[in-house]
Amino acid sequence: MKRYLEVYKQCMYSAVQSAAAYRMNFIISSLITLVGNILFPLVTLLIYRAGTSFPGWSLYEVLLIQSVFTMSSGLSSVIFGGVLWTTMSHVREGSFEVVLLKPLNPLFFIVATTFSTDSIGLFLGGVSLFIFSAVHVGTIPALNWLQFAGLFAVGTAVLAGLSLMMAAMSFKWVGNSRISELADSVLHIGKYPLPIFPKAVQAVATMIIPVGMVGFLPASALLGRVHASDYAAVLPCFLFLAVGVWIYRHMIRLYEGVGG
Amino acid sequence: MNRLKHNWLICRTVADVTYKEWSAYRTHSMVSIIVGPVYFMVQYFIWTAVYGDHASLGGIGLPQMIRYFGATALLGYLIMDFADWNLSMLVRTGKFLTFHLRPIHHRSFALFQKIGHRSLGFLFEFLPCLLIFIFIFGVDMRPASFPWTILSVVLAFLMNFYVNYTIGLTSFWLVQSGGIRSAFMLVSGIFSGALIPLDFFPHWLQVLQFFLPFQYMAYLPAMVFTGHYSLGGLELSIQQAVGMQAVAVLVTFGLNELVRRLAMKQFTAVGA
């Protein structure tokens, strides 16, 4: 375990050094991501500015959902964001053997070596928006914070599972740089209050592809809007992550090394 | 005349080769058949919830809003472009030098490539999604005027290309233009009207859009499709709107040429 932590620390250090090689690009990218995520809820702002709303949700409550979503996406991108692109690149070039030859768990190696400094701006953008909206939704009891922390971690696990599934897909769908769009499109549902969607979509978004856990449910916990039954969605999230890990490892076994 | 014929032959050949090259990856394009309808479905439910009892918002009724999002989604497949990324890669690796040795201007080459690439997009993204919007979502996707909509889409295609190419040219100074590219995509995503019609923006921001390239890539052609264009309190006929779009494309082309000439003075062919 100590060895794995040491490797991860070293990989983080390398990622920072690598970003420092193109400082200007890194600074601009981080700033843009930061500003971009502050601007991300612009659609919501404009909708409320036009005098309408998402039924039953105030502006700051919706912003809270979107900020939690952004924080979770940012954290997941920092840790797992590069897995898809690196796996895809190795499979396309037929060089995944380089990973398999390392004296480490291949999945851990890929995760550690793809630590993404680019996404730090995304996380910080989410944090800024989160502080802004949390201040405006009124006092939040300590118990709600505790529930939020738990559900936030579960939401990040969903994103990790999704990243691994997309990366696993790249073993068969060789070189398809648009695989991530599949995940992004589904995740779009998690940026808005789930009750605006039909029941069937809500069921899918909590039990099958639990994107509701990424933004909506943790924010609802903070607002004291979760019911005991909502916690039933936690199990599918862990299952989702487990399936992601299993599929990725299974696809490694199917790797043919021919490129594409 | 001969020169025109010669250029047409080059255009057809480059477009044809690009089409064949990307046909090998046609299933990549077909990702849009899932992604496009999912995004559209989310927009559909968002706006249905937001409209609630309102007959219209920002001067737009719900059916028109749905048509608008259908049009912007489909338009995206017709004008999608990554000339900036491509040019940036050529500069960074030093491969841009090979284009100096060819008897064709790189910008023209990139434009012809885009024509070939988007022809594939037309078949494997635009048409399937159009059919899904019509037959599954039941959206009326008939444009108010066919000829003006087609002309507006062609102009949006050129506008997107020239703007992206200009961004790619910044690589001659920055080597890595990923940051600028992300910045543009971010601002463009907001101000092109692809996320929300520009009518929802504050008045001063709507007026500002006349002087920026963004609305000419999505909002204006989508409004030409719906048959009604107004922005910043200015209501234009479809013909006037397309005329304004043509002027904007010419200005952008001029700026692109200016930046290109400056960029060529920076070129070292070394890469980085």
Side-chain angles (χ1 to χ4, degrees):
Chain A
M1 186 67 185
K2 199 178 161 196
R3 178 167 151 260
Y4 275 71
L5 281 175
E6 193 55 44
V7 170
Y8 198 81
K9 208 174 88 183
Q10 201 58 47
C11 289
M12 281 172 71
Y13 178 73
S14 300
V16 172
Q17 291 292 311
S18 171
Y22 294 105
R23 281 180 296 279
M24 188 48 79
N25 188 58
F26 172 71
I27 293 166
I28 293 177
S29 294
S30 299
L31 278 176
I32 288 158
T33 319
L34 184 74
V35 174
N37 285 285
I38 292 171
L39 286 176
F40 153 64
L42 190 74
V43 173
T44 306
L45 286 172
L46 292 172
I47 285 172
Y48 278 81
R49 187 180 164 272
T52 182
S53 65
F54 292 106
W57 294 82
S58 75
L59 171 64
Y60 294 109
E61 287 171 340
V62 179
L63 289 184
L64 194 70
I65 294 173
Q66 297 181 341
S67 66
V68 173
F69 182 92
T70 309
M71 281 197 302
S72 199
S73 302
L75 189 62
S76 168
S77 289
V78 169
I79 305 169
F80 302 100
V83 174
L84 168 61
W85 303 112
T86 308
T87 305
M88 185 184 292
S89 165
H90 276 308
V91 173
R92 195 181 62 236
E93 290 168 17
S95 60
F96 199 78
E97 288 86 345
V98 175
V99 177
L100 299 175
L101 288 171
K102 305 280 179 192
L104 276 171
N105 178 312
L107 181 53
F108 171 80
F109 179 80
I110 287 274
V111 170
T113 51
T114 56
F115 182 85
S116 167
T117 51
D118 289 352
S119 304
I120 290 172
L122 181 65
F123 181 69
L124 292 178
V127 171
S128 316
L129 185 63
F130 178 77
I131 294 169
F132 173 76
S133 37
V135 165
H136 287 87
V137 293
T139 314
I140 300 167
L143 182 65
N144 291 8
W145 280 106
L146 209 63
Q147 290 174 324
F148 162 75
L151 294 181
F152 179 80
V154 176
T156 307
V158 170
L159 289 173
L162 207 52
S163 292
L164 294 178
M165 282 181 197
M166 296 298 115
M169 209 182 271
S170 72
F171 279 94
K172 280 290 165 201
W173 211 347
V174 180
N176 190 344
S177 57
R178 298 190 62 200
I179 287 177
S180 64
E181 288 180 36
L182 292 170
D184 291 342
S185 65
V186 179
L187 281 170
H188 202 45
I189 296 169
K191 295 175 183 172
Y192 296 93
L194 271 191
I196 69 166
F197 295 101
K199 294 278 180 217
V201 176
Q202 289 182 40
V204 171
T206 44
M207 294 296 170
I208 299 170
I209 309 173
V211 291
M213 189 57 85
V214 181
F216 173 71
L217 283 171
S220 298
L222 215 47
L223 297 167
R225 284 185 175 217
V226 282
H227 308 289
S229 57
D230 290 329
Y231 285 94
V234 170
L235 185 65
C237 295
F238 285 118
L239 274 175
F240 194 75
L241 174 62
V243 169
V245 173
W246 182 83
I247 291 180
Y248 192 89
R249 295 176 71 168
H250 179 69
M251 294 312 271
I252 289 177
R253 282 197 285 275
L254 297 182
Y255 173 65
E256 291 164 329
V258 290
Chain B
M1 192 63 191
N2 269 350
R3 187 167 170 74
L4 203 69
K5 212 171 148 184
H6 177 69
N7 281 341
W8 165 244
L9 187 68
I10 294 174
C11 171
R12 226 180 55 183
T13 310
V14 174
D16 195 36
V17 168
T18 309
Y19 179 90
K20 284 178 183 165
E21 184 189 348
W22 282 92
S23 288
Y25 305 102
R26 59 189 174 279
T27 56
H28 298 193
S29 299
M30 289 162 80
V31 167
S32 299
I33 300 173
I34 300 169
V35 171
V38 170
Y39 273 116
F40 183 76
M41 182 199 75
V42 175
Q43 292 288 5
Y44 180 88
F45 289 124
I46 288 173
W47 289 99
T48 305
V50 164
Y51 267 78
D53 299 329
H54 297 81
S56 92
L57 289 173
I60 305 173
L62 180 60
Q64 195 193 351
M65 183 68 89
I66 300 297
R67 263 164 63 76
Y68 173 84
F69 279 113
T72 52
L74 294 178
L75 188 67
Y77 301 134
L78 295 178
I79 71 164
M80 193 277 264
D81 179 56
F82 47 85
D84 49 347
W85 180 88
N86 226 351
L87 181 56
S88 180
M89 179 271 292
L90 291 173
V91 174
R92 197 173 60 251
T93 56
K95 287 180 185 168
F96 188 78
L97 177 68
T98 61
F99 284 92
H100 269 317
L101 303 172
R102 296 182 194 185
I104 181 173
H105 197 303
H106 178 260
R107 187 176 53 210
S108 306
F109 184 83
L111 179 63
F112 302 156
Q113 277 188 314
K114 179 178 157 105
I115 292 171
H117 189 251
R118 284 304 85 206
S119 302
L120 191 74
F122 177 80
L123 282 181
F124 291 99
E125 295 175 284
F126 177 86
L127 281 181
C129 288
L130 175 68
L131 295 176
I132 290 171
F133 289 173
I134 294 172
F135 294 110
I136 296 180
F137 290 103
V139 185
D140 178 7
M141 291 306 294
R142 284 170 298 183
S145 159
F146 246 112
W148 288 105
T149 303
I150 289 171
L151 183 58
S152 185
V153 170
V154 170
L155 289 169
F157 179 92
L158 291 172
M159 180 61 119
N160 196 26
F161 172 74
Y162 289 129
V163 169
N164 278 342
Y165 197 84
T166 309
I167 291 164
L169 287 170
T170 61
S171 299
F172 284 95
W173 288 274
L174 298 173
V175 183
Q176 272 278 24
S177 65
I180 302 278
R181 189 167 186 253
S182 311
F184 178 78
M185 282 168 73
L186 167 71
V187 179
S188 172
I190 295 164
F191 294 123
S192 67
L195 292 176
I196 188 167
L198 300 178
D199 307 76
F200 282 79
F201 284 76
H203 183 262
W204 66 272
L205 259 177
Q206 291 187 35
V207 173
L208 184 66
Q209 296 315 309
F210 286 106
F211 308 100
L212 297 173
F214 311 113
Q215 68 142 329
Y216 304 106
M217 292 188 262
Y219 178 76
L220 191 145
M223 292 315 256
V224 168
F225 168 85
T226 62
H228 172 83
Y229 176 86
S230 73
L231 188 67
L234 184 69
E235 199 150 326
L236 297 178
S237 69
I238 294 309
Q239 292 86 341
Q240 287 171 325
V242 176
M244 181 175 73
Q245 191 186 14
V247 172
V249 171
L250 279 175
V251 171
T252 309
F253 174 75
L255 286 173
N256 175 271
E257 180 59 19
L258 183 71
V259 178
R260 190 192 67 82
R261 288 182 185 197
L262 292 171
M264 286 309 117
K265 291 178 184 163
Q266 298 288 321
F267 185 50
T268 59
V270 177

